[in-house]
Amino acid sequence: MIDDNVLTKLVLIVGNDHVISNEEAKLSYEIDWRGNFSGRSLIVVKPQTTHQIQQIIKVCQELSIAIIPQGGNTSLCGGGVPVNDYDKPQIILNLSLLNKILEVDTANNSITMEAGCTLANVITAADQQERYFPLSIASENNCQIGGNIATNAGGIHVIKYGMMRDLVLGLEAILPNGEIVNQLTTLRKNNTNFDLKQLFIGSEGTLGIITKAILKLYPKPEKYITGLIGIADIEQAVAILSQLQSKFSVCAFEIIHSSAQNIYNTYFPDSQFPISAKWLILFEFETASTEAEEFELETLFNIFSRLNINLNEAIIADTSNKRDNLWHIRENIPLAEKMHGYAVKHDISLPISQLESFIQSNSANILKYHPHAQIIMFGHLGDGNLHYNVQLDNQLNTKTNEAKINEIVYNDVIKHGGSISAEHGIGQLKLELYRMTSDPQSYLLAKQIKQLIDPNNILNPGKIF
Ligand SMILES: Cc1cc2nc3c(=O)[nH]c(=O)nc-3n(C[C@H](O)[C@H](O)[C@H](O)COP(=O)(O)OP(=O)(O)OC[C@H]3O[C@@H](n4cnc5c(N)ncnc54)[C@H](O)[C@@H]3O)c2cc1C
């Protein structure tokens, strides 16, 4: 039951229409996208101004209530929902009404917005001014810029444009003591003291509430060359990537294993993969004009022929419709997986040179442990990011054996010099793993920074640490 005192105070701040206290109505905010994490909240609050957020923080500090910053709630590690059975009451601070695009500056190639704007809205606002914002993730219609910054989101264009960290020029954040840190700058060169905005990028809502941001924009690519090719192994993929990068401005290079192709084809029978192979590569590069495109296609086919790529297993999307279809297939793989049932998910990254060796040794280790295991693999090969998901013969078995599966996978990830979280973050999912695999001094320093900024631990407790 919600304490009337809290409700009254929060309603006074944001107005009756912008709080949700009904148990049933709160549910969708309390459960994460995958349905793996859920926790009760006293109330969901939807502020519309930074000043309201400052007042909410003041109330929460007074009454010792934890605040869960929430964007689009698309986190894949339980970052944006309350922790179950936490010893303090928790409220969800949903940023969706802080959603104005404030400026598109074509001279400076930057865009300024409130943090609750969806990624899709930012991409569209840039596009309307003939500019391009390159972050590309399948949750773009729901996830918000604040969430993208707080998770340092990655996606398919990291190979060319970097992670969200590389796309942020400035931001504004409210600290747990209610003070505003104004790092809102459009400057690309600014060497005055620490680059404090970096503290908030990837902090997963534990250090401050991001309320505004200024992001980099790029020229809109004129045209794309997009292709799907079948190959036999990762080594071949790495060779192709290297050749393509020496000639073209490669902006995406995805790999999809037959396991992921099969699952996708089962759940999306009306728009199946047009070809199949042990591995498929979905690549794309930007091209300046139709004349350049003709020349580049010739170069591309020369590379394919040098590398013995079977052209019967290659598709080049020569219309924007065909290109959209290919990307639509790729973007729906996570959804097909979700429909396929519970899998132990691993969002890992490895040095590209180690990918083949990791897959060989780890799949052998998993199959030794459980001969009927299925390993579903796809990912952003261009930046060494593999989604490596394990399912046993049935859902219950998969869940019961989760700890052991994780141990087998993460041991090999560490042995191969990889990371236990490539792009989704730590959230509630990987607390222990993060502690165990971090350099002890780095972990301690991170905890000390949290303690300094949020001594009462009211901001997103139970996440990261
Ligand atoms: C289908 C699908 C595909 C995806 N693909 C990718 C992908 O390719 N790459 C990738 O990196 N991720 C991907 N994700 C994960 C997810 O979309 C990203 O992590 C995204 O950046 C989260 O944004 P959000 O607004 O939904 O944040 P939420 O899920 O609401 O929150 C995520 C974290 O950010 C914090 N937070 C949110 N808003 C703020 C704010 N304003 N201030 C401070 N903290 C805040 C929360 O407390 C939480 O810790 C995918 C998710 C789905 C469902």
Side-chain angles (χ1 to χ4, degrees):
M1 272 296 285
I2 169 108
D3 177 339
D4 283 346
N5 184 27
V6 180
L7 183 59
T8 312
K9 287 188 175 195
L10 295 176
V11 166
L12 268 178
I13 297 169
V14 293
N16 214 4
D17 290 346
H18 301 133
V19 295
I20 302 170
S21 56
N22 174 287
E23 292 301 323
E24 219 179 300
K26 276 190 300 165
L27 272 181
S28 64
Y29 297 86
E30 295 175 334
I31 302 176
D32 77 321
W33 188 81
R34 279 186 174 147
N36 291 344
F37 294 98
S38 65
R40 305 319 304 267
S41 63
L42 283 180
I43 191 169
V44 179
V45 208
K46 296 188 173 187
Q48 290 175 290
T49 65
T50 48
H51 182 59
Q52 288 178 352
I53 297 176
Q54 288 180 293
Q55 291 175 293
I56 294 167
I57 291 177
K58 196 161 168 251
V59 170
C60 289
Q61 285 284 15
E62 268 167 26
L63 301 175
S64 199
I65 295 172
I67 300 170
I68 317 303
Q70 185 179 77
N73 196 14
T74 64
S75 163
L76 297 178
C77 51
V81 293
V83 172
N84 191 22
D85 284 338
Y86 188 62
D87 59 5
K88 275 184 199 159
Q90 306 171 79
I91 65 159
I92 295 173
L93 186 87
N94 182 289
L95 277 298
S96 55
L97 297 183
L98 222 68
N99 59 6
K100 289 190 217 58
I101 303 280
L102 301 173
E103 188 185 19
V104 180
D105 181 343
T106 51
N108 195 55
N109 282 312
S110 61
I111 179 166
T112 309
M113 80 290 302
E114 292 180 330
C117 284
T118 63
L119 172 57
N121 280 348
V122 168
I123 292 170
T124 305
D127 190 69
Q128 284 165 350
Q129 302 291 327
E130 294 299 314
R131 291 296 183 276
Y132 177 57
F133 183 63
L135 184 73
S136 176
I137 60 182
S139 52
E140 66 175 34
N141 288 321
N142 299 308
C143 66
Q144 298 173 6
I145 292 302
N148 299 149
I149 295 175
T151 58
N152 187 26
I156 59 175
H157 290 150
V158 172
I159 184 172
K160 174 158 185 196
Y161 294 98
M163 304 276 285
M164 192 61 177
R165 188 180 296 287
D166 302 295
L167 302 172
V168 178
L169 288 171
L171 58 76
E172 174 188 271
I174 308 185
L175 298 176
N177 64 7
E179 296 297 333
I180 295 179
V181 176
N182 183 340
Q183 288 277 308
L184 280 172
T185 173
T186 57
L187 297 176
R188 282 152 208 267
K189 282 191 164 180
N190 179 14
N191 269 348
T192 48
N193 208 285
F194 299 141
D195 187 0
L196 287 177
K197 70 175 180 294
Q198 299 296 345
L199 262 185
F200 301 96
I201 305 175
S203 67
E204 299 187 42
T206 61
L207 297 183
I209 295 158
I210 298 157
T211 42
K212 288 195 188 93
I214 303 180
L215 306 175
K216 288 180 194 170
L217 296 180
Y218 290 85
K220 223 162 105 172
E222 280 292 317
K223 283 179 90 71
Y224 294 99
I225 291 180
T226 310
L228 186 70
I229 50 176
I231 51 149
D233 55 37
I234 297 282
E235 268 172 32
Q236 204 182 359
V238 174
I240 295 168
L241 174 62
S242 162
Q243 290 284 317
L244 293 189
Q245 280 184 312
S246 70
K247 296 285 177 200
F248 308 116
S249 172
V250 178
C251 57
F253 197 87
E254 301 285 301
I255 46 165
I256 306 146
H257 188 250
S258 54
S259 53
Q261 297 164 36
N262 293 340
I263 288 177
Y264 171 83
N265 286 342
T266 308
Y267 294 94
F268 288 85
D270 298 335
S271 61
Q272 299 204 344
F273 274 96
I275 52 173
S276 62
K278 182 171 175 202
W279 287 98
L280 288 176
I281 296 175
L282 176 56
F283 67 88
E284 184 160 275
F285 51 89
E286 295 164 4
T287 181
S289 62
T290 310
E291 298 79 61
E293 186 185 4
E294 277 169 25
F295 174 72
E296 286 175 338
L297 276 173
E298 201 182 313
T299 312
L300 178 67
F301 284 115
N302 284 339
I303 291 176
F304 283 173
S305 123
R306 260 204 319 277
L307 294 173
N308 294 324
I309 304 294
N310 179 355
L311 289 183
N312 293 327
E313 286 185 354
I315 286 181
I316 302 296
D318 48 12
T319 64
S320 64
N321 216 0
K322 286 186 190 160
R323 171 179 182 252
D324 290 349
N325 286 346
L326 288 180
W327 282 114
H328 191 66
I329 292 176
R330 166 62 188 89
E331 280 160 9
N332 277 324
I333 294 174
L335 197 57
E337 253 206 307
K338 191 177 176 187
M339 291 151 103
H340 192 57
Y342 192 78
V344 186
K345 303 254 190 335
H346 306 98
D347 159 45
I348 53 182
S349 66
L350 293 136
I352 293 178
S353 58
Q354 294 293 309
L355 273 167
E356 179 78 40
S357 159
F358 166 81
I359 291 171
Q360 292 296 339
S361 62
N362 194 258
S363 30
N365 289 338
I366 291 278
L367 289 173
K368 211 185 302 164
Y369 175 66
H370 199 292
H372 299 297
Q374 190 187 10
I375 304 173
I376 305 147
M377 292 180 274
F378 57 98
H380 318 294
L381 181 117
D383 38 85
N385 182 186
L386 196 62
H387 297 302
Y388 187 87
N389 305 329
V390 182
Q391 249 181 354
L392 301 189
D393 42 357
N394 65 56
Q395 198 140 316
L396 186 64
N397 248 348
T398 309
K399 280 193 176 156
T400 323
N401 288 283
E402 178 149 1
K404 185 65 194 171
I405 295 169
N406 281 338
E407 187 190 317
I408 299 171
V409 173
Y410 291 126
N411 271 343
D412 275 336
V413 169
I414 301 299
K415 262 190 221 157
H416 285 81
S419 164
I420 55 142
S421 178
E423 56 178 13
H424 298 159
I426 304 297
Q428 304 185 44
L429 182 67
K430 295 183 179 170
L431 304 189
E432 199 43 27
L433 197 61
Y434 167 54
R435 189 184 59 75
M436 278 162 39
T437 56
S438 292
D439 156 58
Q441 273 313 314
S442 308
Y443 184 80
L444 183 66
L445 183 60
K447 271 193 98 157
Q448 285 168 339
I449 293 171
K450 166 71 177 171
Q451 171 71 23
L452 177 75
I453 295 179
D454 185 16
N456 300 329
N457 196 22
I458 67 154
L459 216 49
N460 221 4
K463 316 293 161 55
I464 304 186
F465 304 106

